[in-house]
Amino acid sequence: MSERGAAGPGPAAIQVSRIMRPDDANFAGNVHGGIILKMIEEAGAIISTRHCNSQAGEPCVAALARVERTDFLSPVCIGEVANVSAEITYTSRHSVEVQVNVMSENILTGAKKVTNKATLWYVPLSLKNVNKVVEVPPIQYARKEQEEEGKKRYEEQKLDRLETKQRNGDVIFPIINPDRQTKEPHTVGYSQSSLIHLVGPSDCTLLGFVHGGVTMKLMDEVAGIVAARHCKTNIVTASVDAINFHEKIKKGSVITISGRMTFTSNKSMEIEVFVDADPFVDEARERYRAVSAFFTYVSLSKEGKPLPVPQLLTETEDEKRRFEEGKGRYLQTKAKRQAQLQQAALQ
């Protein structure tokens, strides 16, 4: 890890770099999106925790609360170096916004390309009392507009987190060893998948709760399995909608990560992923929803070219409803991207 001078309004930005190994990638040599998400979160946790402890006060650890939508602009391959740069761009009284850029580097040719851009929100929790949120030291802004823009982003994510939590009563029943021979290919039930993981010490922060990056990596693994079962080709993560961390997951808990297909376009698949926690060390508490997100995948040929995606077959009214909701998100994202391209062309 190295540091460089801040290019924006916040403290000195940091950079985390690592060469991509064979066990970071799928059979086609494309690095799993979850590996990159984990690196992004590690960089964000370092810079936000460092900032929150930069002034005299109660020692704390920054906990991930939310990751805004992030697009995987280009796949990273085995042997390339992923350079993750993070800087703080806004602080409220109790939260920190971190902007992260990921650039892949071919160390043989020197060629570089931007692969990801992400925005993460952290909340500092006291080391003495994990339920206490401590105050965040303010940062200096180069321009007043930067603070106003940051405040607008803060209010928007706060509202979206509330809306997401309100609709989070949905349940995916764990499907560990389903009899897929009884299910029609390309249906929701055929590709639906679950993974069960015991939270160990290596998964956790100093506070004894799961690192956000560990959770995102597991979510990406499950979403990737769902996508691969649906189209039976090489698949890669194209984007992740906002990931909301509703509640902390304690060491010793058993988490169930479940994914199901919600929508398909001609060239993409949307997969809904939930993380539910069973706090075995705290028997008084029942199972609860900890994290939720939508992952989008694309299917690739051996040459890395996009392939058509089989249409999702919906069978129940709930599946049809979720398909229409996914279609709405897809069209909204597509319209937003086209507007950005048109704006860029005019500049």
Side-chain angles (χ1 to χ4, degrees):
M1 182 187 76
S2 62
E3 290 192 19
R4 58 181 175 82
I14 67 166
Q15 181 168 294
V16 178
S17 301
R18 184 164 76 77
I19 193 165
M20 297 292 101
R21 304 183 298 265
D23 58 349
D24 294 323
N26 61 17
F27 63 89
N30 301 128
V31 172
H32 294 292
I35 296 292
I36 302 300
L37 288 172
K38 189 170 183 288
M39 289 188 68
I40 287 173
E41 199 279 327
E42 287 172 352
I46 291 170
I47 194 170
S48 52
T49 298
R50 181 179 291 170
H51 174 69
C52 292
N53 289 281
S54 62
Q55 296 182 5
E58 201 167 338
C60 62
V61 172
L64 183 62
R66 175 180 169 91
V67 181
E68 301 291 357
R69 177 186 171 87
T70 177
D71 293 305
F72 290 75
L73 307 173
S74 179
V76 184
C77 299
I78 295 172
E80 293 183 337
V81 172
N83 299 303
V84 183
S85 301
E87 65 177 333
I88 294 174
T89 49
Y90 178 76
T91 58
S92 69
R93 186 182 178 188
H94 292 127
S95 65
V96 180
E97 179 192 54
V98 180
Q99 300 278 357
V100 181
N101 289 323
V102 184
M103 181 169 288
S104 66
E105 175 188 0
N106 185 319
I107 54 177
L108 299 180
T109 65
K112 297 180 180 180
K113 58 186 177 183
V114 176
T115 62
N116 293 80
K117 293 184 178 182
T119 301
L120 301 89
W121 293 91
Y122 288 85
V123 175
L125 303 178
S126 168
L127 277 176
K128 298 178 182 178
N129 179 3
V130 71
N131 294 315
K132 180 181 178 181
V133 179
V134 304
E135 290 197 17
V136 176
I139 62 172
Q140 297 297 316
Y141 299 94
R143 305 188 322 275
K144 182 66 177 176
E145 292 78 13
Q146 290 176 327
E147 182 177 10
E148 293 172 351
E149 290 167 0
K151 186 176 182 180
K152 182 180 178 182
R153 294 191 299 271
Y154 168 75
E155 294 295 342
E156 288 175 349
Q157 66 85 26
K158 190 176 179 181
L159 180 61
D160 188 73
R161 275 173 56 79
L162 181 62
E163 291 176 349
T164 302
K165 199 164 188 176
Q166 288 174 345
R167 66 172 183 266
N168 226 18
D170 207 354
V171 175
I172 303 179
F173 292 103
I175 305 293
I176 308 302
N177 293 305
D179 182 6
R180 299 189 190 280
Q181 293 181 344
T182 65
K183 300 183 184 299
E184 186 77 18
H186 307 141
T187 59
V188 175
Y190 183 85
S191 60
Q192 182 173 324
S193 305
S194 297
L195 181 154
I196 294 178
H197 179 75
L198 174 63
V199 176
S202 63
D203 298 323
C204 298
T205 67
L206 294 173
L207 294 172
F209 293 93
V210 179
H211 281 288
V214 170
T215 308
M216 291 192 292
K217 182 176 180 293
L218 293 170
M219 294 173 77
D220 181 72
E221 286 180 11
V222 169
I225 292 170
V226 174
R229 279 178 169 155
H230 181 77
C231 57
K232 300 188 184 302
T233 61
N234 176 31
I235 49 88
V236 295
T237 315
S239 65
V240 185
D241 246 14
I243 304 176
N244 289 291
F245 292 78
H246 308 291
E247 294 197 45
K248 299 183 292 293
I249 303 172
K250 197 172 184 178
K251 179 174 64 179
S253 298
V254 171
I255 56 175
T256 303
I257 306 97
S258 301
R260 64 184 171 202
M261 192 79 66
T262 50
F263 170 75
T264 56
S265 67
N266 291 332
K267 293 185 178 179
S268 67
M269 299 162 275
E270 182 191 72
I271 296 122
E272 185 175 27
V273 183
F274 290 151
V275 179
D276 294 316
D278 285 303
F280 283 2
V281 294
D282 183 10
E283 295 183 4
R285 183 162 191 197
E286 297 180 352
R287 180 187 180 111
Y288 62 92
R289 175 66 39 79
V291 193
S292 60
F294 290 99
F295 285 69
T296 298
Y297 278 75
V298 293
S299 173
L300 299 179
S301 67
K302 293 180 179 179
E303 295 75 31
K305 302 295 183 182
L307 290 173
V309 170
Q311 181 73 11
L312 179 65
L313 302 178
T314 55
E315 300 175 299
T316 68
E317 289 303 315
D318 280 344
E319 290 173 0
K320 292 174 183 177
R321 173 183 56 80
R322 288 193 292 267
F323 185 92
E324 290 303 316
E325 291 173 350
K327 184 177 180 180
R329 287 186 292 269
Y330 168 77
L331 293 174
Q332 188 177 30
T333 300
K334 188 176 180 180
K336 187 175 180 180
R337 187 177 296 132
Q338 289 175 341
Q340 290 173 341
L341 290 174
Q342 290 174 353
Q343 188 177 8
L346 295 173
Q347 292 177 347

